[in-house]
Amino acid sequence: MSQNLNKVTLFLVATPIGNLSEASPRVIETLKNVDIIACEDTRNTLKLLTHFDIHTRMISYHKFNEEKASQDIIAFLDEGKSVALVSDAGYPLISDPGYTLVNEVAAKGYTINTVSGPNAALNALVASGLNTNHYLFYGFLNSKPSAARKELRDLKDFPYTMIFYEAPHRITKTLRLCLEELGNRRAVVARELTKLHEEYLRGTLEELCEIESLKGEIVLLIEGKEKEEVEVDFNDLKEEVDELVKEGMKKKEAISQVASQYKVSKNDLYDFYHKS
Ligand code: SAM
């Protein structure tokens, strides 16, 4: 066993987001060996457990019983039992329940370990073709359009890729709302990740709004606001050239260096320098 089950531990276990083959040996081993599996929906997790011939006791932990179930789980840990927390798909706590529990278990000082697996947001991001250097995982927008509109307004100037989860019956309305509030931008609808009909619809928000019916599980990714070209004042550039000349650089060389640094034409800067 790759982890020490003798230590009382809460395991946060990521489960498949559609393709059961993505349950790693470590996920299966953990779910087999813990004393209790706390699941969002026991019927759903039972399918996973049956598939892998796992017979561990399940208890339910969902957004409507988080407080009480957290106390029950802490009582199990107090008794020296190990617990795994899973959600219906992907990582627990990522647009899924678990925050209350982890916060309380951490405060109690018990060990918390993660068992890695798929996550819809990251799968979608890496295949999207949008910038992956920096990104924001937003999760679900508010289901009330007026509140969602406000959330989008707050994100309007955000310069990095934004990742949203959305239900299929709301995606068309959400795309329209995004277009209205963020303006037309590159966007990607990532559907049915890791499943047979995995698909990426890449285009602009305007183009995606025209698609008649979008079915299946969906992640929406939208490009961040493009950085505005900074207006370059040639008087400032002239001062920088003078500074370099003062430091001993040849005038022609200084013009060339400053022009390339600010991405302006060397000839334009040369002309400005000598005429002003
Ligand atoms: N905990 C999960 C995770 O780590 O990705 C997310 C759970 S959240 C309740 C469910 C949402 O995740 C769906 O509405 C959809 O937006 C997205 N999602 C989950 N599985 C997906 C899949 N196979 N393809 C596309 N989106 C998926």
Side-chain angles (χ1 to χ4, degrees):
M1 181 90 189
S2 47
Q3 57 237 349
N4 181 5
L5 273 179
N6 296 325
K7 264 201 306 190
V8 177
T9 302
L10 171 67
F11 293 94
L12 305 174
V13 182
T15 54
I17 57 170
N19 189 329
L20 284 184
S21 316
E22 292 200 334
S24 70
R26 188 169 177 238
V27 165
I28 299 164
E29 197 183 12
T30 305
L31 296 180
K32 269 194 178 147
N33 287 303
V34 288
D35 297 301
I36 286 143
I37 303 173
C39 8
E40 191 182 358
D41 182 339
T42 49
R43 288 162 306 177
N44 198 60
T45 301
L46 183 61
K47 289 182 205 149
L48 179 77
L49 300 195
T50 305
H51 186 84
F52 291 106
D53 196 24
I54 299 171
H55 303 280
T56 309
R57 175 181 168 196
M58 289 186 285
I59 59 165
S60 101
Y61 179 96
H62 48 70
K63 65 177 172 186
F64 303 108
N65 75 351
E66 273 198 277
E67 275 298 337
K68 163 81 174 71
S70 293
Q71 292 317 312
D72 293 345
I73 291 168
I74 286 170
F76 287 126
L77 296 172
D78 289 341
E79 287 169 21
K81 293 188 168 128
S82 54
V83 180
L85 175 69
V86 299
S87 66
D88 282 350
Y91 274 76
L93 281 85
I94 301 301
S95 294
D96 269 333
Y99 168 72
T100 307
L101 176 66
V102 171
N103 194 23
E104 289 178 13
V105 170
K108 279 252 175 186
Y110 285 120
T111 305
I112 299 175
N113 282 170
T114 51
V115 183
S116 319
N119 161 251
L122 283 183
N123 278 42
L125 176 68
V126 293
S128 67
L130 299 178
N131 193 329
T132 55
N133 284 339
H134 306 286
Y135 58 88
L136 169 77
F137 170 66
Y138 197 84
F140 289 96
L141 286 162
N142 198 299
S143 56
K144 290 194 192 109
S146 58
R149 211 177 262 287
K150 163 135 194 358
E151 288 174 304
L152 287 167
R153 277 183 200 150
D154 290 342
L155 294 172
K156 191 174 165 61
D157 292 329
F158 187 74
Y160 309 119
T161 303
M162 293 169 277
I163 311 173
F164 302 96
Y165 284 161
E166 192 48 289
H169 66 277
R170 275 208 298 262
I171 185 69
T172 307
K173 274 191 187 143
T174 299
L175 282 165
R176 286 198 199 111
L177 214 57
C178 290
L179 177 61
E180 282 168 27
E181 293 303 330
L182 305 176
N184 200 18
R185 302 183 181 193
R186 286 172 72 205
V188 177
V189 167
R191 288 181 59 242
E192 295 289 271
L193 300 169
T194 78
K195 302 185 202 173
L196 190 61
H197 299 292
E198 175 164 344
E199 182 181 34
Y200 298 87
L201 303 161
R202 302 181 179 87
T204 61
L205 282 172
E206 239 166 41
E207 287 163 349
L208 294 174
C209 281
E210 278 163 25
I211 301 173
E212 298 247 315
S213 89
L214 285 167
K215 294 204 178 95
E217 297 206 89
I218 285 169
V219 181
L220 168 64
L221 305 99
I222 305 179
E223 140 181 275
K225 186 181 176 180
E226 267 185 38
K227 286 216 176 89
E228 276 154 27
E229 291 286 312
V230 181
E231 278 280 320
V232 181
D233 183 338
F234 271 54
N235 287 304
D236 294 340
L237 302 195
K238 184 168 183 288
E239 275 178 28
E240 288 208 28
V241 172
D242 285 338
E243 283 293 318
L244 291 173
V245 171
K246 245 193 252 167
E247 284 166 18
M249 195 183 272
K250 290 212 172 82
K251 203 179 281 172
K252 207 169 153 199
E253 221 178 293
I255 290 174
S256 172
Q257 181 175 308
V258 172
S260 112
Q261 191 182 335
Y262 288 90
K263 297 192 176 64
V264 297
S265 140
K266 199 163 57 178
N267 290 342
D268 289 352
L269 184 57
Y270 185 90
D271 289 347
F272 181 86
Y273 189 90
H274 287 96
K275 280 179 196 151
S276 58

